[in-house]
Amino acid sequence: GVDGDAQRLSQISWLLFLKIFDDQEAELEIMHDHYTSPIPEDLRWRNWAADAEGITGDELLSFLNNRLFAELKGMQANPVLDARAFVVQSVFEDAFNYMKSGQLLRQVINKVNEIEFNDEHERCVCSDRYGEILKGWQGGGEAGECCTPGAVTQVRVDGTDAQLGDKILDPACGTGGFLTCAIETVRRQHVKTVEQEQQLQQIIYGVEKKPLPHLLCTTNM
């Protein structure tokens, strides 16, 4: 029920984002005794999507269109004081559910549920597949938009020789290829402690004005 590559990418991106976010929260709950999710409890992926026999059909569509999207779009969050809530709100401010069949949507959700993003191998495989989808997207090419091959991205990132004390900016970051490559490169070369990982989180900056690439970038990162 979706129309074209742009809607397909947008649809799969917000689904992947919520699953990735939930898997990350599972780790945070183990690491931090008092972790609290910025997402209302009944809107968390684990509480409406994780059960393969859970809500489907018109009930699922009503839940998504009238509750989940409305509340996540309407979240008020300070980007400094409540960064995770701000990320959720920024992802959903331009996201929509394009699927018209709740039964088919449940099948897609169940497929996404098969991916364990806390498993490094599965995460890498999914990242590769996601990258292939982005590269195959035919929506780029207008106004100078293009997809930079991974090898070229890596060469450019290596050439910057970024250190933890630097700031890394991509002022037209698109789907986040350069930024994600920079994060992984700096992490691999310089991050050894939790404090250094926190420092890495503070040096990455990107700007993307178009809603769909912004959504893809946030999910990609």
Side-chain angles (χ1 to χ4, degrees), residues 127-189:
S127 177
D128 289 344
R129 296 296 175 267
Y130 190 72
E132 289 173 8
I133 294 173
L134 298 185
K135 290 175 183 177
W137 178 36
Q138 298 302 309
E142 298 177 5
E145 295 174 81
C146 62
C147 180
T148 308
V152 176
T153 301
Q154 188 66 61
V155 168
R156 295 293 293 164
V157 169
D158 289 344
T160 67
D161 192 26
Q163 309 294 312
L164 273 179
D166 299 330
K167 291 184 178 181
I168 301 173
L169 166 68
D170 186 343
C173 62
T175 57
F178 280 100
L179 293 178
T180 53
C181 184
I183 290 170
E184 291 304 321
T185 300
V186 174
R187 179 180 287 138
R188 185 172 59 252
Q189 295 177 351

Side-chain angles (χ1 to χ4, degrees), residues 97-114:
N97 171 47
Y98 292 107
M99 293 187 71
K100 303 299 189 292
S101 168
Q103 285 81 8
L104 288 177
L105 181 54
R106 166 49 67 180
Q107 292 179 38
V108 174
I109 290 169
N110 289 349
K111 278 295 183 183
V112 173
N113 261 319
E114 294 176 7

Side-chain angles (χ1 to χ4, degrees), residues 14-15 18-19 22 42-55 60 63-64 68 105-106 108-114:
W14 68 259
L15 287 167
L18 285 178
K19 178 62 164 68
D22 195 68
D42 64 331
L43 302 183
R44 298 176 75 182
W45 178 271
R46 65 191 67 180
N47 292 324
W48 65 268
D51 182 1
E53 302 298 324
I55 59 173
L60 175 58
F63 170 78
L64 291 176
L68 185 132
L105 181 54
R106 166 49 67 180
V108 174
I109 290 169
N110 289 349
K111 278 295 183 183
V112 173
N113 261 319
E114 294 176 7

Side-chain angles (χ1 to χ4, degrees), residues 22-32 117-118 123:
D22 195 68
D23 284 357
Q24 285 186 338
E25 289 197 309
E27 283 192 339
L28 291 170
E29 288 166 347
I30 295 173
M31 296 167 58
H32 306 286
F117 287 101
N118 289 336
R123 186 169 63 240

